[in-house]
């Protein structure tokens, strides 16, 4: 079994990079899935800023596992895809500078009231263009299941992965719960293409709770992932409102934070790390 590597969306501990580094070091994490730093989204950073971040992380003994980009989080019908491809190219360049192994992305928001199936071909074509742009880069593109996008359910995630052999999956149990998808069935369907897990749990009403306290079957899926040779996890607490959360939601939507309330972001971040460690097999 490979050594477990634990990362986090450390922007949930603090907006500033120094706060994020302190939270990762305090919880003995290997690094981060970088999303928002010093008040800016990762895909909007300059190359100069990315070099500065990489140096600071390297000096702290931390790495960037994945770039938690917003790529694919645009309306498939009304937003400018050509401009989005430019953002992809820039994000790919940033990923190289940061030493990231992966880019997390999505499969586009479907217009409300429309059938996702009607957009199947367009989704595959656009994600295929991303795969072509990344070809030979050495960086894995990883699709995350997310509410409101084409790939919100396991069957549609499977369609995407079957159509695009160069694409991997990120498995987020809480997002499946929020889409009323049984996570055990989702795991059974997708497990052979999952590159890493997002550690986030939720209750049937959609509220987010620490790993092991919801309906995501996080412990069982983690065990099966490890048995398959998986080793990488990104913690995504979502236990309190943190700087930048509103920018991650589609207009008109709001995250349900749930009954686990903490006095500050650091306490919530530490609680999420501790909850997941309790679920890991003892020998880990």
């Amino acid at each position: 079994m490979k050594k477990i590597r634990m990362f986090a969306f450390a922007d949930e501990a603090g907006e500033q990079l120094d706060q994020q580094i302190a939270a990762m070091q305090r919880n003995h994490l290997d690094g981060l899935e970088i999303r928002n730093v010093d008040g800016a989204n990762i895909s909007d950073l300059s190359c100069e800023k990315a070099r500065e971040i990489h140096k600071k992380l390297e000096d702290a003994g931390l790495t960037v596992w994945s770039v938690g980009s917003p790529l694919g989080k645009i309306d498939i019908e009304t937003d400018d895809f050509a401009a989005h491809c430019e953002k992809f190219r820039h994000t790919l360049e940033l990923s190289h500078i940061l030493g990231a192994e992966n880019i997390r992305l999505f499969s586009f928001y479907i217009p409300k009231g429309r059938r996702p199936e009607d957009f199947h071909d367009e989704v595959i074509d656009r994600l295929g263009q991303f795969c072509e742009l990344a070809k030979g880069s050495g960086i894995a593109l990883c699709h995350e299941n997310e509410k409101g996008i084409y790939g919100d359910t396991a069957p549609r995630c499977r369609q995407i992965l079957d159509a695009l052999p160069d694409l991997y999956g990120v498995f987020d149990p809480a997002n499946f719960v929020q889409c009323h998808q049984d996570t055990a069935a989702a795991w059974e369907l997708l497990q052979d293409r999952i590159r890493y897990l997002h550690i986030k749990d939720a209750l049937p009403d959609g509220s987010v709770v620490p790993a092991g306290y919801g309906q995501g079957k996080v412990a069982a899926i983690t065990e099966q992932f490890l048995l398959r040779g998986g080793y990488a996890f990104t913690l995504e607490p979502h236990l309190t409102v943190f700087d930048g959360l509103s920018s991650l939601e589609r207009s008109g939507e709001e995250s349900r934070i749930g009954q686990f309330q903490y006095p500050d972001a650091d306490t919530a971040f530490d609680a999420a790390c501790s909850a997941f460690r309790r679920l890991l097999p003892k020998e880990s």
Side-chain angles (χ1 to χ4, degrees), residues 149-266:
I149 63 171
Y150 180 86
D152 56 357
T153 65
R156 285 197 288 271
C157 288
R158 188 74 227 187
Q159 289 174 9
I160 290 168
L161 296 172
D162 284 346
L164 299 167
D166 292 335
L167 201 63
Y168 295 87
V170 180
F171 193 98
D172 188 310
N175 288 351
F176 276 131
V177 171
Q178 291 174 339
C179 293
H180 311 292
Q181 169 80 70
D182 178 72
T183 55
W187 176 254
E188 185 65 28
L189 188 62
L190 301 173
Q191 59 179 305
D192 64 307
R193 296 290 296 280
I194 299 301
R195 184 158 169 85
Y196 65 99
L197 303 185
H198 276 177
I199 301 304
K200 188 161 95 254
D201 208 344
L203 297 172
D205 68 357
S207 57
V208 178
V209 294
Y213 290 88
Q215 300 298 309
K217 303 181 179 71
V218 177
I221 290 169
T222 293
E223 182 179 13
Q224 293 171 38
F225 179 62
L226 292 170
L227 288 172
R228 287 190 61 87
Y231 62 92
F233 303 87
T234 292
L235 289 106
E236 187 177 12
H238 268 31
L239 297 179
T240 61
V241 175
F242 59 95
D243 290 341
L245 177 60
S246 60
S247 69
L248 306 178
E249 302 295 339
R250 192 177 192 179
S251 178
E253 293 182 350
E254 182 179 351
S255 285
R256 297 178 62 87
I257 303 302
Q259 77 268 36
F260 288 85
Q261 300 292 328
Y262 299 90
D264 52 55
D266 271 332

Side-chain angles (χ1 to χ4, degrees), residues 22-40:
M24 288 184 286
Q25 290 180 328
R26 186 173 66 245
N27 286 282
H28 309 289
L29 303 182
D30 296 289
L32 78 167
E33 181 155 348
I34 192 167
R35 183 171 56 193
N36 296 295
V37 181
D38 295 343

Side-chain angles (χ1 to χ4, degrees), residues 87-101:
K87 183 183 284 285
F88 180 91
R89 291 184 179 92
H90 180 62
T91 303
L92 195 63
E93 184 176 7
L94 295 174
S95 301
H96 282 298
I97 292 169
L98 293 165
E101 298 181 39

